[in-house]
Amino acid sequence: MPSVSTKGKNMPESPIRKLVPFAEKAYKANKTVYHLNIGQPDIKSPEIAMKAVSEHNLEVLAYTRSEGSEEYRKKISAYYHRNNIPAEANDIIVTTGGSEALLFAMGSIADVGDEIIIPEPFYANYNGFATASGISIVPVISKIEDNFALPPISEFEKLITPKTKAILICNPGNPTGYLYSKEEIQTLAEIVKKHDLFLVADEVYREFTYDGSKHYSILEEESLAQHGIIIDSVSKRYSMCGARIGCMVSRNKEVIATALKFAQARLSPPTFAQIASEAALETPQSYFDDVITEYQDRRNTLVKALKAIPGVTVGEPKGAFYCIVQLPVKNSDAFAQWLLEEFDDNGETIMVAPAAGFYSTQGVGLNQVRIAYVLNKESLIRAVEILKIALEKYKD
Ligand SMILES: Cc1ncc(COP(=O)(O)O)c(C=O)c1O
């Protein structure tokens, strides 16, 4: 019997998707499941993007250039300039989602056995991309008690070794909702320059900031021109997760030339989806104003309701649409499974993402879950009510 690879065996399961079989069981038992586990927004994709695809006049659905179509990259560059990010079309490689941008970035800057420092908890799939690339993630812990603020410089410097190639941040953060301040970005800039590292910033939630706070991109920091790499995506910005379009951005020419070779190996990002994404760039600001008001309202509703449950602690998200919630349970994996398999309240239950998979330190986050506020307010209120009832019934 031929055997699969060790790398394959080491690939982590997605903590966001691994409970799906139990959710299937819940559907079969006719339960309604409120999905708090996955960042699939319920917001409509911009009409202009959908129309561009339905009204296309292509006769051949051909490949585009490996780095993405020139027209699209020019328009993305204009979008970045509007956001104070001096990125030109040649600094951009269009990818199949932010996911592929992460793979290209890791492949372009680190060799097998190299290390990347990431504040944890972090987007769980970083574990998968690092495993696929043979890279070790070195976590620096940020804590719920500090609302997941950046750990002090000394914590990062303790972890830097000759194998360290980069620091990777997610800003605003999935799963914490943490938004890095300009000062924190400047602190990170000092560290990466001092130790000659890359700073990779996953900015796929750039637009989603609340309470009037503004996102500060790493490439707004001129001194990071050679060190900074942005990971981006249309998935959340335009609620176009299924388009599978993202990009990798760097003003470092060698990084882009290297990433381009990875892009050439997979030929081209999807053509229809680039048409939709190019049109989406014309989305009026009023779309974002409405969406951000909606998410901010949802966040307020969710956090207030969660705080009212005895024994529950919740971080205060300032951006994106997730929060980490600490529950009075020993093992949130078992609790999440129990919610789907054994519990219901009037035929309804909830699905949450156990948070341990968002940490790479073993044994941390076992009593935490990640909740995505991608449901309307009425559903969120009902979902939190179900959580409260479930916690009263659950025996660890
Ligand atoms: C932080 C973060 N980065 C990257 C991605 C990848 O998104 P996509 O491949 O859909 O662009 C996601 C998706 O949820 C995410 O939350």
Side-chain angles (χ1 to χ4, degrees):
M1 170 97 158
S3 64
V4 298
S5 65
T6 309
K7 186 195 270 186
K9 284 183 189 150
N10 290 340
M11 270 302 276
E13 271 185 312
S14 162
I16 305 158
R17 292 174 180 257
K18 72 177 179 185
L19 291 168
V20 168
F22 301 104
E24 303 280 349
K25 255 175 139 176
Y27 305 142
K28 283 206 183 112
N30 283 327
K31 289 185 202 174
T32 300
V33 180
Y34 289 89
H35 283 270
L36 303 172
N37 59 310
I38 195 158
Q40 169 59 62
D42 62 342
I43 307 278
K44 278 195 177 158
S45 311
E47 215 177 301
I48 198 169
M50 305 305 250
K51 241 177 153 181
V53 175
S54 61
E55 291 177 0
H56 76 92
N57 57 6
L58 294 180
E59 289 184 352
V60 178
L61 194 53
Y63 292 126
T64 65
R65 286 166 62 163
S66 297
E67 61 270 49
S69 85
E70 177 132 31
E71 304 72 40
Y72 180 38
R73 283 182 299 120
K74 277 188 181 152
K75 286 196 188 159
I76 309 177
S77 161
Y79 157 84
Y80 284 130
H81 281 276
R82 290 199 293 279
N83 283 278
N84 304 321
I85 298 169
E88 308 307 323
N90 288 342
D91 302 328
I92 298 166
I93 294 197
V94 179
T95 53
T96 307
S99 304
E100 192 180 57
L102 282 158
L103 266 176
F104 287 0
M106 288 188 184
S108 301
I109 62 174
D111 285 311
V112 172
D114 282 343
E115 296 167 358
I116 295 187
I117 299 174
I118 312 183
E120 71 174 0
F122 52 75
Y123 174 50
N125 285 328
Y126 295 160
N127 274 323
F129 299 131
T131 304
S133 309
I135 296 168
S136 298
I137 290 182
V138 177
V140 55
I141 296 182
S142 70
K143 299 195 184 113
I144 197 164
E145 301 86 85
D146 306 327
N147 207 17
F148 300 109
L150 195 67
I153 296 190
S154 52
E155 293 298 309
F156 282 91
E157 291 201 312
K158 265 194 250 166
L159 301 172
I160 294 173
T161 73
K163 287 186 176 292
T164 309
K165 295 309 293 270
I167 296 173
L168 166 59
I169 58 166
C170 183
N171 185 30
N174 172 8
T176 60
Y178 190 74
L179 181 69
Y180 290 92
S181 66
K182 179 174 177 179
E183 291 67 33
E184 284 175 305
I185 298 294
Q186 288 173 335
T187 301
L188 287 169
E190 290 312 314
I191 306 175
V192 296
K193 281 184 289 173
K194 180 172 165 198
H195 297 276
D196 210 17
L197 308 174
F198 289 103
L199 179 59
V200 183
D202 183 336
E203 299 186 355
V204 306
Y205 297 97
R206 178 180 302 111
E207 272 75 12
F208 304 99
T209 62
Y210 311 125
D211 310 320
S213 45
K214 224 184 136 296
H215 179 259
Y216 188 72
S217 169
I218 56 160
L219 287 187
E220 284 181 69
E221 197 54 43
E222 189 54 37
S223 67
L224 285 174
Q226 296 310 308
H227 297 261
I229 300 172
I230 292 179
I231 304 300
D232 216 337
S233 170
V234 304
S235 290
K236 318 290 161 148
R237 180 166 308 134
Y238 305 113
S239 195
M240 284 173 40
C241 295
R244 310 308 307 128
I245 289 288
C247 65
M248 171 180 160
V249 187
S250 178
R251 295 174 65 196
N252 180 318
K253 300 285 175 220
E254 198 184 355
V255 167
I256 288 296
T258 306
L260 179 58
K261 292 189 278 179
F262 287 89
Q264 286 168 345
R266 64 76 166 109
L267 305 181
S268 153
T271 300
F272 266 149
Q274 285 181 81
I275 292 172
S277 303
E278 187 178 328
L281 282 164
E282 308 292 329
T283 304
Q285 183 56 37
S286 57
Y287 172 91
F288 292 106
D289 294 343
D290 291 349
V291 170
I292 287 157
T293 306
E294 177 64 26
Y295 278 126
Q296 187 168 302
D297 270 6
R298 291 177 181 188
R299 178 206 59 175
N300 294 346
T301 305
L302 175 73
V303 170
K304 189 170 163 217
L306 286 169
K307 280 186 172 164
I309 306 178
V312 168
T313 309
V314 55
E316 188 82 41
K318 294 275 181 233
F321 33 73
Y322 308 94
C323 56
I324 289 283
V325 185
Q326 196 155 290
L327 301 176
V329 300
K330 285 200 192 81
N331 184 331
S332 63
D333 241 312
F335 177 62
Q337 189 173 327
W338 174 85
L339 282 168
L340 294 167
E341 270 196 313
E342 294 179 42
F343 172 79
D344 72 84
D345 181 59
N346 289 326
E348 297 186 321
T349 191
I350 56 173
M351 186 166 176
V352 292
F358 295 87
Y359 290 84
S360 66
T361 306
Q362 291 298 311
V364 180
L366 287 177
N367 60 349
Q368 298 176 354
V369 294
R370 185 196 73 171
I371 286 185
Y373 41 102
V374 290
L375 304 179
N376 64 45
K377 270 186 287 182
E378 293 67 38
S379 300
L380 283 175
I381 290 170
R382 173 65 184 139
V384 177
E385 184 187 30
I386 293 171
L387 174 66
K388 182 168 183 278
I389 297 166
L391 285 169
E392 284 161 5
K393 288 203 178 153
Y394 185 65
K395 304 260 176 299
D396 251 330

